[in-house]
Amino acid sequence: MIQTPYLLFLGDAPDALAAKVAQGIKDWRPENAVGQFRLPGCGTTVGLNDMTLQDGLDAGAKTLVIGVANRGGVISDAWKKVLVEALEMGYDIASGLHNLLRDEDELQRAAKVHGRTLHDVRIPSVAYPIANGKKRTGKRCLAVGTDCSVGKMYTGLCMDAEMRKRGLKSTFRPTGQTGILITGGGVPLDAVIADFMAGAVEYLTPDNEADHWDHIEGQGSLFHASYSGVTMALVHGGQPDALVLCHEPTRKHMRGLPDYQQPSLEDLRDVALRMAQIVNSDCKVIGISVNTQHLSEEDAKAYLAEVEERMGLPTTDPFRFGAERLVDALEAL
């Protein structure tokens, strides 16, 4: 188990999206985050107190969590000196990057010498089966997006929290490093061998009670040239009964792909639903989740109203304005 609380390492993250792991932990498990540690040139913050490594230890931190999700998941050379120093001072280190801690000789040596633990949360711990496509009991809701990092995880967490608040049966099912660090379990889906990805989602969302909902954390986008494969595995392995469309309206282009424009919500609805109905002919699109963090409250409400009228689906920012209407739509199925 990863020891808490954490000091969140933002390194030299250039923007808020690059620090989404740290932001997710801060938003959903604030009791586990004592502060943030930033290198010179860091271009963002998650709103916690800036601390040195010693400050973090004095505040009770036990694990330095790499709170950055950069393109390709790389441990920068600029970070290694800090990470070695943290191990020498008594921290464990946790990371969800593709570039594994255990593959860095300097970190391995320091951890061994100082009796510390390296946690690579993006390492699959189960021999997942190949998907069989068999219908499972229980119900499943999947968030699908027009792009990466548009709020799919937050949508699932918000809906799960609202259902639990109502006394309904609900579980959030993490499929990425941030969700795993928030909840303590899940499947690091983009690190699973391709043939077994859909099977890993079936494993994550097994048979359940008829009135129980699994909220499956979405990844990537069917329209993203880099990451569409992981999304397809979620659609087919999840066999969702319900889809929630997720969108961030201020993007100029697809994340990391300046030559590609985001699809319309109409395109997302049509393509995602067609793919989902291959494995569950009863699947429905039940609502739209919009990440309005870069809009004023007035502009956000106007945008949500325009999308709702155009699409004919309940539309909200569940983190900013609540997930009640999305859960109402699930209950109405």
Side-chain angles (χ1 to χ4, degrees), residues 11-57:
D12 48 8
D15 55 31
L17 277 179
K20 68 177 186 177
V21 177
Q23 188 67 56
I25 294 170
K26 183 257 185 179
D27 285 343
W28 290 98
R29 291 293 184 271
E31 69 276 12
N32 287 350
V34 302
Q36 64 185 23
F37 177 45
R38 299 188 289 173
L39 294 176
C42 182
T44 191
T45 176
V46 296
L48 295 173
N49 290 333
D50 283 302
M51 292 185 172
T52 64
L53 292 176
Q54 187 59 54
D55 290 337
L57 288 176

mmCIF file of all heavy atoms in Angstrom, residues 11-57:
data_model
loop_
_atom_site.group_PDB
_atom_site.id
_atom_site.type_symbol
_atom_site.label_atom_id
_atom_site.label_comp_id
_atom_site.label_asym_id
_atom_site.label_seq_id
_atom_site.Cartn_x
_atom_site.Cartn_y
_atom_site.Cartn_z
ATOM 1 N N GLY A 11 7.055 19.247 -10.288
ATOM 2 C CA GLY A 11 8.220 19.374 -11.147
ATOM 3 C C GLY A 11 8.220 20.663 -11.926
ATOM 4 O O GLY A 11 7.988 21.740 -11.380
ATOM 5 N N ASP A 12 8.457 20.552 -13.236
ATOM 6 C CA ASP A 12 8.457 21.717 -14.116
ATOM 7 C C ASP A 12 7.278 21.655 -15.081
ATOM 8 O O ASP A 12 7.386 22.051 -16.247
ATOM 9 C CB ASP A 12 9.777 21.821 -14.892
ATOM 10 C CG ASP A 12 10.170 20.487 -15.530
ATOM 11 O OD1 ASP A 12 9.359 19.535 -15.502
ATOM 12 O OD2 ASP A 12 11.306 20.395 -16.043
ATOM 13 N N ALA A 13 6.140 21.163 -14.592
ATOM 14 C CA ALA A 13 4.933 21.050 -15.430
ATOM 15 C C ALA A 13 4.624 22.398 -16.081
ATOM 16 O O ALA A 13 4.560 23.418 -15.394
ATOM 17 C CB ALA A 13 3.743 20.589 -14.594
ATOM 18 N N PRO A 14 4.402 22.406 -17.400
ATOM 19 C CA PRO A 14 4.210 23.689 -18.081
ATOM 20 C C PRO A 14 2.836 24.304 -17.892
ATOM 21 O O PRO A 14 2.671 25.519 -18.021
ATOM 22 C CB PRO A 14 4.432 23.332 -19.557
ATOM 23 C CG PRO A 14 4.054 21.882 -19.648
ATOM 24 C CD PRO A 14 4.467 21.280 -18.343
ATOM 25 N N ASP A 15 1.813 23.456 -17.629
ATOM 26 C CA ASP A 15 0.458 23.984 -17.531
ATOM 27 C C ASP A 15 -0.384 23.074 -16.648
ATOM 28 O O ASP A 15 0.074 22.037 -16.166
ATOM 29 C CB ASP A 15 -0.183 24.132 -18.915
ATOM 30 C CG ASP A 15 -0.168 22.836 -19.724
ATOM 31 O OD1 ASP A 15 -0.240 21.746 -19.122
ATOM 32 O OD2 ASP A 15 -0.085 22.905 -20.964
ATOM 33 N N ALA A 16 -1.636 23.494 -16.421
ATOM 34 C CA ALA A 16 -2.502 22.763 -15.504
ATOM 35 C C ALA A 16 -2.799 21.348 -15.976
ATOM 36 O O ALA A 16 -2.882 20.414 -15.171
ATOM 37 C CB ALA A 16 -3.808 23.542 -15.310
ATOM 38 N N LEU A 17 -2.957 21.154 -17.295
ATOM 39 C CA LEU A 17 -3.258 19.813 -17.789
ATOM 40 C C LEU A 17 -2.114 18.855 -17.520
ATOM 41 O O LEU A 17 -2.337 17.669 -17.255
ATOM 42 C CB LEU A 17 -3.567 19.859 -19.289
ATOM 43 C CG LEU A 17 -4.990 20.241 -19.674
ATOM 44 C CD1 LEU A 17 -5.130 20.261 -21.191
ATOM 45 C CD2 LEU A 17 -6.000 19.294 -19.057
ATOM 46 N N ALA A 18 -0.890 19.340 -17.578
ATOM 47 C CA ALA A 18 0.260 18.478 -17.303
ATOM 48 C C ALA A 18 0.304 18.035 -15.838
ATOM 49 O O ALA A 18 0.886 17.005 -15.516
ATOM 50 C CB ALA A 18 1.557 19.193 -17.672
ATOM 51 N N ALA A 19 -0.326 18.799 -14.952
ATOM 52 C CA ALA A 19 -0.340 18.471 -13.520
ATOM 53 C C ALA A 19 -1.665 17.872 -13.091
ATOM 54 O O ALA A 19 -2.063 17.965 -11.932
ATOM 55 C CB ALA A 19 -0.044 19.728 -12.708
ATOM 56 N N LYS A 20 -2.366 17.195 -14.012
ATOM 57 C CA LYS A 20 -3.717 16.722 -13.711
ATOM 58 C C LYS A 20 -3.737 15.630 -12.644
ATOM 59 O O LYS A 20 -4.731 15.479 -11.937
ATOM 60 C CB LYS A 20 -4.415 16.240 -14.976
ATOM 61 C CG LYS A 20 -3.847 14.976 -15.588
ATOM 62 C CD LYS A 20 -4.668 14.545 -16.797
ATOM 63 C CE LYS A 20 -4.213 13.193 -17.334
ATOM 64 N NZ LYS A 20 -5.045 12.743 -18.466
ATOM 65 N N VAL A 21 -2.647 14.885 -12.507
ATOM 66 C CA VAL A 21 -2.606 13.859 -11.452
ATOM 67 C C VAL A 21 -2.652 14.527 -10.085
ATOM 68 O O VAL A 21 -3.447 14.161 -9.212
ATOM 69 C CB VAL A 21 -1.346 12.980 -11.584
ATOM 70 C CG1 VAL A 21 -1.267 11.973 -10.436
ATOM 71 C CG2 VAL A 21 -1.338 12.249 -12.923
ATOM 72 N N ALA A 22 -1.795 15.520 -9.893
ATOM 73 C CA ALA A 22 -1.780 16.246 -8.628
ATOM 74 C C ALA A 22 -3.106 16.949 -8.375
ATOM 75 O O ALA A 22 -3.620 16.949 -7.247
ATOM 76 C CB ALA A 22 -0.635 17.262 -8.620
ATOM 77 N N GLN A 23 -3.676 17.551 -9.421
ATOM 78 C CA GLN A 23 -4.945 18.257 -9.252
ATOM 79 C C GLN A 23 -6.051 17.302 -8.841
ATOM 80 O O GLN A 23 -6.885 17.618 -7.993
ATOM 81 C CB GLN A 23 -5.329 18.961 -10.552
ATOM 82 C CG GLN A 23 -6.534 19.886 -10.428
ATOM 83 C CD GLN A 23 -6.261 21.093 -9.563
ATOM 84 O OE1 GLN A 23 -5.319 21.842 -9.829
ATOM 85 N NE2 GLN A 23 -7.061 21.296 -8.518
ATOM 86 N N GLY A 24 -6.073 16.116 -9.447
ATOM 87 C CA GLY A 24 -7.097 15.142 -9.101
ATOM 88 C C GLY A 24 -7.010 14.691 -7.657
ATOM 89 O O GLY A 24 -8.033 14.571 -6.967
ATOM 90 N N ILE A 25 -5.789 14.453 -7.183
ATOM 91 C CA ILE A 25 -5.618 14.050 -5.783
ATOM 92 C C ILE A 25 -6.043 15.179 -4.857
ATOM 93 O O ILE A 25 -6.741 14.966 -3.857
ATOM 94 C CB ILE A 25 -4.155 13.642 -5.517
ATOM 95 C CG1 ILE A 25 -3.809 12.372 -6.298
ATOM 96 C CG2 ILE A 25 -3.915 13.435 -4.023
ATOM 97 C CD1 ILE A 25 -2.332 12.025 -6.294
ATOM 98 N N LYS A 26 -5.647 16.395 -5.186
ATOM 99 C CA LYS A 26 -6.006 17.544 -4.354
ATOM 100 C C LYS A 26 -7.505 17.740 -4.291
ATOM 101 O O LYS A 26 -8.076 18.029 -3.231
ATOM 102 C CB LYS A 26 -5.316 18.790 -4.899
ATOM 103 C CG LYS A 26 -5.557 20.042 -4.055
ATOM 104 C CD LYS A 26 -6.576 20.950 -4.706
ATOM 105 C CE LYS A 26 -6.745 22.249 -3.942
ATOM 106 N NZ LYS A 26 -7.727 23.152 -4.588
ATOM 107 N N ASP A 27 -8.199 17.561 -5.426
ATOM 108 C CA ASP A 27 -9.638 17.792 -5.470
ATOM 109 C C ASP A 27 -10.430 16.683 -4.785
ATOM 110 O O ASP A 27 -11.473 16.943 -4.166
ATOM 111 C CB ASP A 27 -10.103 17.922 -6.915
ATOM 112 C CG ASP A 27 -9.732 19.254 -7.541
ATOM 113 O OD1 ASP A 27 -9.415 20.199 -6.787
ATOM 114 O OD2 ASP A 27 -9.759 19.359 -8.787
ATOM 115 N N TRP A 28 -9.965 15.418 -4.895
ATOM 116 C CA TRP A 28 -10.774 14.286 -4.456
ATOM 117 C C TRP A 28 -10.267 13.621 -3.188
ATOM 118 O O TRP A 28 -11.022 12.897 -2.531
ATOM 119 C CB TRP A 28 -10.889 13.260 -5.582
ATOM 120 C CG TRP A 28 -11.740 13.792 -6.680
ATOM 121 C CD1 TRP A 28 -11.323 14.380 -7.835
ATOM 122 C CD2 TRP A 28 -13.169 13.848 -6.701
ATOM 123 N NE1 TRP A 28 -12.396 14.791 -8.577
ATOM 124 C CE2 TRP A 28 -13.546 14.471 -7.911
ATOM 125 C CE3 TRP A 28 -14.160 13.407 -5.820
ATOM 126 C CZ2 TRP A 28 -14.879 14.681 -8.254
ATOM 127 C CZ3 TRP A 28 -15.484 13.611 -6.172
ATOM 128 C CH2 TRP A 28 -15.829 14.239 -7.365
ATOM 129 N N ARG A 29 -9.001 13.815 -2.832
ATOM 130 C CA ARG A 29 -8.472 13.293 -1.576
ATOM 131 C C ARG A 29 -7.607 14.357 -0.904
ATOM 132 O O ARG A 29 -6.433 14.153 -0.646
ATOM 133 C CB ARG A 29 -7.658 12.019 -1.807
ATOM 134 C CG ARG A 29 -8.466 10.805 -2.230
ATOM 135 C CD ARG A 29 -9.404 10.329 -1.116
ATOM 136 N NE ARG A 29 -10.107 9.113 -1.510
ATOM 137 C CZ ARG A 29 -11.264 9.084 -2.154
ATOM 138 N NH1 ARG A 29 -11.841 10.230 -2.521
ATOM 139 N NH2 ARG A 29 -11.847 7.946 -2.456
ATOM 140 N N PRO A 30 -8.198 15.528 -0.597
ATOM 141 C CA PRO A 30 -7.388 16.616 -0.041
ATOM 142 C C PRO A 30 -6.736 16.256 1.278
ATOM 143 O O PRO A 30 -5.676 16.790 1.619
ATOM 144 C CB PRO A 30 -8.408 17.757 0.118
ATOM 145 C CG PRO A 30 -9.738 17.079 0.161
ATOM 146 C CD PRO A 30 -9.616 15.890 -0.735
ATOM 147 N N GLU A 31 -7.356 15.336 2.019
ATOM 148 C CA GLU A 31 -6.773 14.924 3.300
ATOM 149 C C GLU A 31 -5.452 14.178 3.120
ATOM 150 O O GLU A 31 -4.675 14.028 4.076
ATOM 151 C CB GLU A 31 -7.765 14.044 4.074
ATOM 152 C CG GLU A 31 -8.029 12.663 3.480
ATOM 153 C CD GLU A 31 -9.085 12.653 2.379
ATOM 154 O OE1 GLU A 31 -9.468 13.746 1.901
ATOM 155 O OE2 GLU A 31 -9.521 11.545 1.992
ATOM 156 N N ASN A 32 -5.186 13.716 1.887
ATOM 157 C CA ASN A 32 -3.950 12.976 1.618
ATOM 158 C C ASN A 32 -2.829 13.851 1.074
ATOM 159 O O ASN A 32 -1.751 13.339 0.782
ATOM 160 C CB ASN A 32 -4.213 11.844 0.607
ATOM 161 C CG ASN A 32 -4.980 10.687 1.206
ATOM 162 O OD1 ASN A 32 -5.164 10.613 2.416
ATOM 163 N ND2 ASN A 32 -5.434 9.777 0.366
ATOM 164 N N ALA A 33 -3.056 15.151 0.917
ATOM 165 C CA ALA A 33 -2.075 16.029 0.283
ATOM 166 C C ALA A 33 -1.683 17.150 1.240
ATOM 167 O O ALA A 33 -2.492 18.026 1.534
ATOM 168 C CB ALA A 33 -2.638 16.600 -1.010
ATOM 169 N N VAL A 34 -0.435 17.130 1.697
ATOM 170 C CA VAL A 34 0.006 18.159 2.643
ATOM 171 C C VAL A 34 0.469 19.430 1.944
ATOM 172 O O VAL A 34 0.486 20.507 2.535
ATOM 173 C CB VAL A 34 1.134 17.638 3.558
ATOM 174 C CG1 VAL A 34 0.679 16.408 4.322
ATOM 175 C CG2 VAL A 34 2.419 17.355 2.784
ATOM 176 N N GLY A 35 0.873 19.321 0.671
ATOM 177 C CA GLY A 35 1.372 20.486 -0.039
ATOM 178 C C GLY A 35 1.891 20.101 -1.406
ATOM 179 O O GLY A 35 1.766 18.942 -1.836
ATOM 180 N N GLN A 36 2.454 21.083 -2.115
ATOM 181 C CA GLN A 36 3.019 20.851 -3.449
ATOM 182 C C GLN A 36 4.481 21.264 -3.467
ATOM 183 O O GLN A 36 4.899 22.183 -2.754
ATOM 184 C CB GLN A 36 2.241 21.619 -4.507
ATOM 185 C CG GLN A 36 2.314 23.133 -4.359
ATOM 186 C CD GLN A 36 1.439 23.874 -5.363
ATOM 187 O OE1 GLN A 36 0.485 23.342 -5.899
ATOM 188 N NE2 GLN A 36 1.784 25.141 -5.631
ATOM 189 N N PHE A 37 5.272 20.561 -4.274
ATOM 190 C CA PHE A 37 6.692 20.880 -4.438
ATOM 191 C C PHE A 37 6.935 21.154 -5.914
ATOM 192 O O PHE A 37 6.712 20.289 -6.764
ATOM 193 C CB PHE A 37 7.559 19.723 -3.944
ATOM 194 C CG PHE A 37 9.035 19.938 -4.136
ATOM 195 C CD1 PHE A 37 9.616 21.146 -3.812
ATOM 196 C CD2 PHE A 37 9.835 18.931 -4.651
ATOM 197 C CE1 PHE A 37 10.971 21.350 -3.974
ATOM 198 C CE2 PHE A 37 11.196 19.127 -4.816
ATOM 199 C CZ PHE A 37 11.767 20.336 -4.485
ATOM 200 N N ARG A 38 7.361 22.379 -6.237
ATOM 201 C CA ARG A 38 7.554 22.794 -7.624
ATOM 202 C C ARG A 38 9.013 23.159 -7.876
ATOM 203 O O ARG A 38 9.680 23.749 -7.020
ATOM 204 C CB ARG A 38 6.669 23.991 -7.957
ATOM 205 C CG ARG A 38 5.184 23.721 -7.803
ATOM 206 C CD ARG A 38 4.345 24.871 -8.325
ATOM 207 N NE ARG A 38 4.433 26.053 -7.458
ATOM 208 C CZ ARG A 38 3.905 27.236 -7.770
ATOM 209 N NH1 ARG A 38 3.281 27.406 -8.924
ATOM 210 N NH2 ARG A 38 3.999 28.244 -6.931
ATOM 211 N N LEU A 39 9.485 22.821 -9.072
ATOM 212 C CA LEU A 39 10.812 23.230 -9.507
ATOM 213 C C LEU A 39 10.746 24.621 -10.147
ATOM 214 O O LEU A 39 9.676 25.047 -10.594
ATOM 215 C CB LEU A 39 11.360 22.225 -10.527
ATOM 216 C CG LEU A 39 11.653 20.816 -10.004
ATOM 217 C CD1 LEU A 39 12.104 19.922 -11.159
ATOM 218 C CD2 LEU A 39 12.705 20.836 -8.912
ATOM 219 N N PRO A 40 11.871 25.323 -10.214
ATOM 220 C CA PRO A 40 11.882 26.610 -10.929
ATOM 221 C C PRO A 40 11.388 26.414 -12.356
ATOM 222 O O PRO A 40 11.742 25.451 -13.032
ATOM 223 C CB PRO A 40 13.363 27.013 -10.900
ATOM 224 C CG PRO A 40 13.921 26.322 -9.683
ATOM 225 C CD PRO A 40 13.180 25.020 -9.585
ATOM 226 N N GLY A 41 10.545 27.325 -12.809
ATOM 227 C CA GLY A 41 10.013 27.241 -14.160
ATOM 228 C C GLY A 41 8.699 26.505 -14.260
ATOM 229 O O GLY A 41 8.111 26.446 -15.342
ATOM 230 N N CYS A 42 8.215 25.960 -13.145
ATOM 231 C CA CYS A 42 6.914 25.299 -13.168
ATOM 232 C C CYS A 42 5.842 26.317 -13.550
ATOM 233 O O CYS A 42 5.785 27.410 -12.980
ATOM 234 C CB CYS A 42 6.601 24.679 -11.810
ATOM 235 S SG CYS A 42 5.031 23.791 -11.748
ATOM 236 N N GLY A 43 4.978 25.939 -14.490
ATOM 237 C CA GLY A 43 4.016 26.897 -15.011
ATOM 238 C C GLY A 43 2.621 26.768 -14.454
ATOM 239 O O GLY A 43 1.683 27.354 -15.012
ATOM 240 N N THR A 44 2.456 26.018 -13.350
ATOM 241 C CA THR A 44 1.114 25.827 -12.825
ATOM 242 C C THR A 44 1.148 25.590 -11.324
ATOM 243 O O THR A 44 2.219 25.483 -10.718
ATOM 244 C CB THR A 44 0.421 24.635 -13.530
ATOM 245 O OG1 THR A 44 -0.964 24.610 -13.189
ATOM 246 C CG2 THR A 44 1.069 23.324 -13.130
ATOM 247 N N THR A 45 -0.027 25.516 -10.726
ATOM 248 C CA THR A 45 -0.180 25.223 -9.307
ATOM 249 C C THR A 45 -1.485 24.474 -9.121
ATOM 250 O O THR A 45 -2.395 24.598 -9.952
ATOM 251 C CB THR A 45 -0.206 26.514 -8.468
ATOM 252 O OG1 THR A 45 -0.445 26.174 -7.084
ATOM 253 C CG2 THR A 45 -1.301 27.453 -8.931
ATOM 254 N N VAL A 46 -1.574 23.685 -8.047
ATOM 255 C CA VAL A 46 -2.858 23.059 -7.708
ATOM 256 C C VAL A 46 -3.475 23.740 -6.496
ATOM 257 O O VAL A 46 -4.453 23.259 -5.925
ATOM 258 C CB VAL A 46 -2.714 21.537 -7.476
ATOM 259 C CG1 VAL A 46 -2.279 20.849 -8.751
ATOM 260 C CG2 VAL A 46 -1.769 21.211 -6.322
ATOM 261 N N GLY A 47 -2.892 24.878 -6.088
ATOM 262 C CA GLY A 47 -3.486 25.680 -5.028
ATOM 263 C C GLY A 47 -3.136 25.248 -3.617
ATOM 264 O O GLY A 47 -3.761 25.710 -2.658
ATOM 265 N N LEU A 48 -2.126 24.392 -3.477
ATOM 266 C CA LEU A 48 -1.664 23.994 -2.148
ATOM 267 C C LEU A 48 -0.446 24.819 -1.757
ATOM 268 O O LEU A 48 0.173 25.483 -2.591
ATOM 269 C CB LEU A 48 -1.303 22.506 -2.131
ATOM 270 C CG LEU A 48 -2.455 21.525 -2.356
ATOM 271 C CD1 LEU A 48 -1.918 20.110 -2.473
ATOM 272 C CD2 LEU A 48 -3.469 21.612 -1.219
ATOM 273 N N ASN A 49 -0.074 24.761 -0.488
ATOM 274 C CA ASN A 49 1.109 25.472 -0.033
ATOM 275 C C ASN A 49 2.359 24.904 -0.698
ATOM 276 O O ASN A 49 2.540 23.678 -0.775
ATOM 277 C CB ASN A 49 1.261 25.354 1.486
ATOM 278 C CG ASN A 49 0.202 26.131 2.237
ATOM 279 O OD1 ASN A 49 -0.331 27.118 1.735
ATOM 280 N ND2 ASN A 49 -0.118 25.688 3.436
ATOM 281 N N ASP A 50 3.230 25.797 -1.180
ATOM 282 C CA ASP A 50 4.514 25.352 -1.706
ATOM 283 C C ASP A 50 5.405 24.924 -0.553
ATOM 284 O O ASP A 50 5.520 25.635 0.464
ATOM 285 C CB ASP A 50 5.185 26.475 -2.488
ATOM 286 C CG ASP A 50 4.571 26.669 -3.858
ATOM 287 O OD1 ASP A 50 4.570 25.697 -4.640
ATOM 288 O OD2 ASP A 50 4.088 27.780 -4.149
ATOM 289 N N MET A 51 6.023 23.769 -0.699
ATOM 290 C CA MET A 51 6.871 23.215 0.352
ATOM 291 C C MET A 51 8.177 22.699 -0.225
ATOM 292 O O MET A 51 8.227 22.285 -1.389
ATOM 293 C CB MET A 51 6.162 22.049 1.056
ATOM 294 C CG MET A 51 4.947 22.431 1.874
ATOM 295 S SD MET A 51 4.298 20.986 2.777
ATOM 296 C CE MET A 51 3.052 21.798 3.800
ATOM 297 N N THR A 52 9.209 22.707 0.599
ATOM 298 C CA THR A 52 10.426 21.978 0.292
ATOM 299 C C THR A 52 10.221 20.524 0.720
ATOM 300 O O THR A 52 9.220 20.186 1.374
ATOM 301 C CB THR A 52 11.612 22.558 1.058
ATOM 302 O OG1 THR A 52 11.387 22.376 2.470
ATOM 303 C CG2 THR A 52 11.792 24.054 0.766
ATOM 304 N N LEU A 53 11.168 19.681 0.385
ATOM 305 C CA LEU A 53 11.086 18.292 0.842
ATOM 306 C C LEU A 53 11.062 18.233 2.372
ATOM 307 O O LEU A 53 10.308 17.450 2.959
ATOM 308 C CB LEU A 53 12.265 17.486 0.292
ATOM 309 C CG LEU A 53 12.270 17.245 -1.222
ATOM 310 C CD1 LEU A 53 13.557 16.523 -1.623
ATOM 311 C CD2 LEU A 53 11.050 16.433 -1.646
ATOM 312 N N GLN A 54 11.882 19.070 3.019
ATOM 313 C CA GLN A 54 11.901 19.061 4.485
ATOM 314 C C GLN A 54 10.573 19.559 5.057
ATOM 315 O O GLN A 54 10.063 19.009 6.040
ATOM 316 C CB GLN A 54 13.049 19.929 5.009
ATOM 317 C CG GLN A 54 13.230 19.838 6.523
ATOM 318 C CD GLN A 54 13.506 18.421 6.987
ATOM 319 O OE1 GLN A 54 14.431 17.770 6.503
ATOM 320 N NE2 GLN A 54 12.700 17.910 7.928
ATOM 321 N N ASP A 55 9.999 20.586 4.431
ATOM 322 C CA ASP A 55 8.685 21.075 4.881
ATOM 323 C C ASP A 55 7.657 19.953 4.824
ATOM 324 O O ASP A 55 6.823 19.800 5.725
ATOM 325 C CB ASP A 55 8.204 22.225 3.994
ATOM 326 C CG ASP A 55 9.004 23.503 4.164
ATOM 327 O OD1 ASP A 55 9.624 23.681 5.228
ATOM 328 O OD2 ASP A 55 9.002 24.306 3.207
ATOM 329 N N GLY A 56 7.695 19.182 3.742
ATOM 330 C CA GLY A 56 6.744 18.082 3.595
ATOM 331 C C GLY A 56 6.898 17.057 4.690
ATOM 332 O O GLY A 56 5.898 16.589 5.268
ATOM 333 N N LEU A 57 8.129 16.681 4.990
ATOM 334 C CA LEU A 57 8.370 15.724 6.080
ATOM 335 C C LEU A 57 7.867 16.283 7.405
ATOM 336 O O LEU A 57 7.240 15.572 8.201
ATOM 337 C CB LEU A 57 9.860 15.397 6.186
ATOM 338 C CG LEU A 57 10.461 14.516 5.085
ATOM 339 C CD1 LEU A 57 11.964 14.375 5.312
ATOM 340 C CD2 LEU A 57 9.791 13.146 5.062
#
